[in-house]
Amino acid sequence: MTLKRYFEENFKDQKLWEYNKGNVELLVELVNLVRPKKIKKTTVVDLSELIDLLKGNQNYRDGLMDCVSAHLEKKKFNKILSDAGILQNANFFYEVRRRLFAKLIPEQPEKDTLQFILNQVFFVKTDPLWIKKIPEEQIWELYSLLEFRSIYESSDEKSSLTELVFAMEVITYRICGCAMETDVIQMVPEYENYESPFLAFQRELLLISEKLIESSENFMHPDDLGYKQLIILHKQCTDYIETAFKNSSKFGISLRVNQSLLRIHQQLNRLKSLLPLLIQAEEKDADKNTIYLSYILIKYNCDKNNIDKLINESTQLLSYEITQHTANTGEHYITNSRKEYYKMFYSAAGGGFIVGLLCIIKLLLGKVEASGFGHVFLYSMNYSIGFIIIYILGFTLATKQPAMTASALVRALQEGFKHKDQDKNEYKYKEFAIFFARVFRSQFIAFVGNVIIAFPVSLLGIWLIDEVFHYNIAKEKWPVLINDLNPIYSAAIFHAAIAGVFLFLSGIIAGSIANRDKHNHIYYRIQEHPLLKLSLGKRMTKKLASLYEKKWAGIISNFWFGVFMGSTVFIGIFFGLNIDIRHITFASGNFAMGLYGADFVITEWMFFWSVLGIGLIGLVNFMVSFSLSLGLAFRSRDIPISELKQVTSAIIKYFLSKPSHFFFPPKNSSSQ
C-alpha cells in the first residue's frame, strides 16, 4: 500500500476520519509504511511524501492530527522513564529470564498509558535508529503540521511535565534505597563520614518539584540556583558510583553488588538525560524539548528488553576483575632469562611426571566394575587430585598457561595505550611483540617438558606393572588409545577444542573465586577467627589465612577442571553425543601405553598419525583456550578488536627478524 492510498482509505473526509479516530492500527500501518526495510549508516529516511500529502489535503492533516491526539492525550508515561531499560532487580539471572520472557510474550500495560501505544506502534528494535535518520527540518515540519503541544502546556490542571517530575522522583527514591544498602556502602569507605549525596539530591529535587507546582510558568530558568545545585549533586552521585566501581580492585565485587551499582549507574544516567527538560532558556526550547522527550520515550521503550546490552554491562567489570587475577597469575608462567626458561622446563617435567602416573591410574580405573556415575566420580577424582598435586607442588601443566598468559598480554597492551603519538604507538606494538615472544617460548618449553616426560613415565609404569603382576593392562585397550590420537579418522581435534574450552573455564573459575573471597574478606576472617587463634595460635592462623589466599582459588580451579575432564565422555554417552576430551600431555602418556599394549607392533602410518595427532591436539588446546581468554581480556579492558591488526603485524615482523626468540631465549635477555 502507498501513502496516498492509505490516506485516501482512512482520512478522505471528516466522517471517515472521525470513525477511525480511536483505531490504533491506523498509526501502526502508517509507521509500517514509512519504516525502511534496511538501515545502513548512510541511510536517510525521507518523509517528504508524507509531508506533501498533509500539506496538500486539509482532511488528511486534520484526520491524522485527531487520530494522533486521541492516542496521546492524557496518557501516562512516567513508567517508561523510570523503568524501561533499567535493571529491576539485583539478581542478574532473574533479569535475564525476565527479559527473555518479555521478548517472547511482551508485557502489555494498561491502555491508558503511552507505553501501550508505543508497544503497538514502535515495537521494532531498530525504530530509534531510523527515526534518528529523519532530517531535522522534516521533524520540525511534521511537528508544526500536526500542531503538537509542548510538554509545558496543558489542556487541564496537569501537564506532561508533571509525569516527567514524578518519574524523576521515583528514580531518586529508588537510588537512595539501593545506595543505602550495606554491600554498596562498604565499597566506598571514602564517603563514610560524609552526608550521602543521594539524600541531598533527593531533598533538592523535592524543593524544585514544589517550586514548579507553585510556578505559573511550568518550567525553570537555566540560571536557577536550585537547578544548578541539582547538577552539582548529580555529579557527586556519579563520582560516588565511579569510586565504588574503581574500588572493586581493592575489595573485590560480587555479581549482586555489581548489579546494584550498575542499576544506580543506569538510573543516574536516566536522570542526566531528563534534567535538561526541566529548564527552558528560550521559547523555542519548549518545542525542542518536546521532540527530544518523544524520541527518548521511543528509544527507552524499544530498548527495555535488550539482553545483549544487559549481559555486556553486567559482566564487563566482573570479567575485568577475573582477568586481572589471571593476569597476575599468568605473569608467573612467562619466562625472560635462560635461567627462568630452564626452570620452566623442569617445572613442566614435574607436571609431565604426574600426568604420566594419572594416565596409568585412569586405565586401571577403567577396569573397575562400577556404574556410569561411579566411573564419572573415579575419573574426575583422578584428574582433580592429580591437577591439585601439580599445582601445590609448583609444577606446570602447559595447557593451563594460555588462559592465564592471555590476560597478562592484554594488560601489557592496555598499559601501552597511554601513548598517543604514532612513534610511541609503534614502540608500544614492538614491545608487545617482544612480550608475546616471551609468552610463546614459555608455552613451547612447557609443552616440551610435559610431553617428553609423560611418555617415558607412562611407558615405564605400564612395564613395571607387567613385570610385577605379569599383566599388560593396555593389551585390550591399545587400539582405542592409538586410534583416538588419529586426527583424520577420529574426532581428536574436536575433542581437543572441548578441552581448550575447559581450560578457559578453569581460568575463569580461579579468577571468580579469588574475586569473591576478596569481596567477602575471607582471608581476614580466617586470620582473625577466634576459635582458630585459640586452637592453632595466632601465628599459625595467619599462615593458614595466607596459604588460603595464595592457593585456594587455584585448588578449586584445578578441582573443577578435573571434574570437567572426567565427566565429559559420560555426558556425551547420556545425551548420545560424540564428545570427549583430548589433552596433549595425556595424549602423550596414552600413546606410550598404546605402544606397549600393542607390543610395539603398529604400522608406520599409525605411528605417524599418532605423533601428528599429539602435536595437533596441543595446538588446538592452546589456540582455543588462548583465543577465548584473549577475547575476554580485550572485552574486559574495553580495548577495540581492531588493535589485533596492528598487534599481529608487529608480531609477524618480530618473528621474521628473530624467529629463534619464539622458541629459545636470547643469550642476553636485554637483547630482545
Side-chain angles (χ1 to χ4, degrees), residues 77-88 95 98-99 107 115 167 170-171 174 263 266-267 270 300 304:
F77 60 83
N78 63 80
K79 194 174 180 181
I80 302 176
L81 296 177
S82 62
D83 292 10
I86 294 175
L87 290 170
Q88 300 301 303
E95 189 71 24
R98 187 185 69 80
R99 294 194 182 194
E107 178 189 359
Q115 189 173 1
V170 169
I171 294 171
R174 289 175 180 172
R263 184 185 184 191
Q266 290 176 342
Q267 290 167 331
R270 183 63 52 87
Y300 293 157
K304 65 180 180 290

Side-chain angles (χ1 to χ4, degrees), residues 279-416:
I279 62 171
Q280 184 180 323
E282 302 175 11
E283 192 174 339
K284 66 178 182 180
D285 287 344
D287 295 332
K288 183 180 178 182
N289 288 348
T290 303
I291 293 172
Y292 169 70
L293 177 61
S294 303
Y295 173 74
I296 63 174
L297 283 168
I298 294 171
K299 185 177 186 300
Y300 293 157
N301 196 60
C302 286
D303 288 346
K304 65 180 180 290
N305 296 320
N306 192 321
I307 295 174
D308 290 342
K309 185 179 179 182
L310 168 67
I311 294 173
N312 286 336
E313 290 180 342
S314 299
T315 58
Q316 182 161 13
L317 179 63
L318 285 174
S319 62
Y320 177 84
E321 293 305 321
I322 289 168
T323 55
Q324 186 73 0
H325 171 268
T326 54
N328 291 334
T329 308
E331 288 178 353
H332 300 302
Y333 292 114
I334 302 172
T335 64
N336 187 20
S337 64
R338 290 199 165 197
K339 183 180 178 181
E340 291 174 354
Y341 182 79
Y342 292 119
K343 186 178 178 181
M344 176 63 73
F345 171 78
Y346 297 134
S347 174
F353 179 84
I354 301 294
V355 170
L357 297 179
L358 296 180
C359 290
I360 297 170
I361 294 171
K362 186 192 174 187
L363 193 60
L364 291 171
L365 290 175
K367 299 179 181 298
V368 175
E369 291 188 11
S371 63
F373 177 79
H375 278 118
V376 168
F377 178 79
L378 291 172
Y379 287 167
S380 296
M381 290 305 101
N382 176 50
Y383 283 123
S384 295
I385 293 170
F387 294 150
I388 290 171
I389 291 172
I390 290 172
Y391 175 69
I392 290 175
L393 293 178
F395 295 150
T396 300
L397 189 65
T399 50
K400 285 281 285 182
Q401 292 173 281
M404 306 294 183
T405 53
S407 299
L409 275 168
V410 174
R411 187 167 70 178
L413 182 63
Q414 183 193 35
E415 289 171 355

Side-chain angles (χ1 to χ4, degrees), residues 551-588:
K551 297 293 184 181
W552 185 247
I555 289 172
I556 296 298
S557 167
N558 281 284
F559 173 80
W560 280 109
F561 182 46
V563 171
F564 295 151
M565 296 277 282
S567 58
T568 303
V569 65
F570 293 98
I571 292 172
I573 292 170
F574 183 81
F575 288 104
L577 302 172
N578 179 24
I579 59 173
D580 201 348
I581 51 94
R582 293 289 176 268
H583 185 282
I584 181 172
T585 315
F586 285 91
S588 175

Side-chain angles (χ1 to χ4, degrees), residues 249-261:
S249 59
K250 289 191 288 185
F251 307 125
I253 192 167
S254 68
L255 184 56
R256 183 180 177 279
V257 174
N258 180 70
Q259 293 303 96
S260 295
L261 292 174

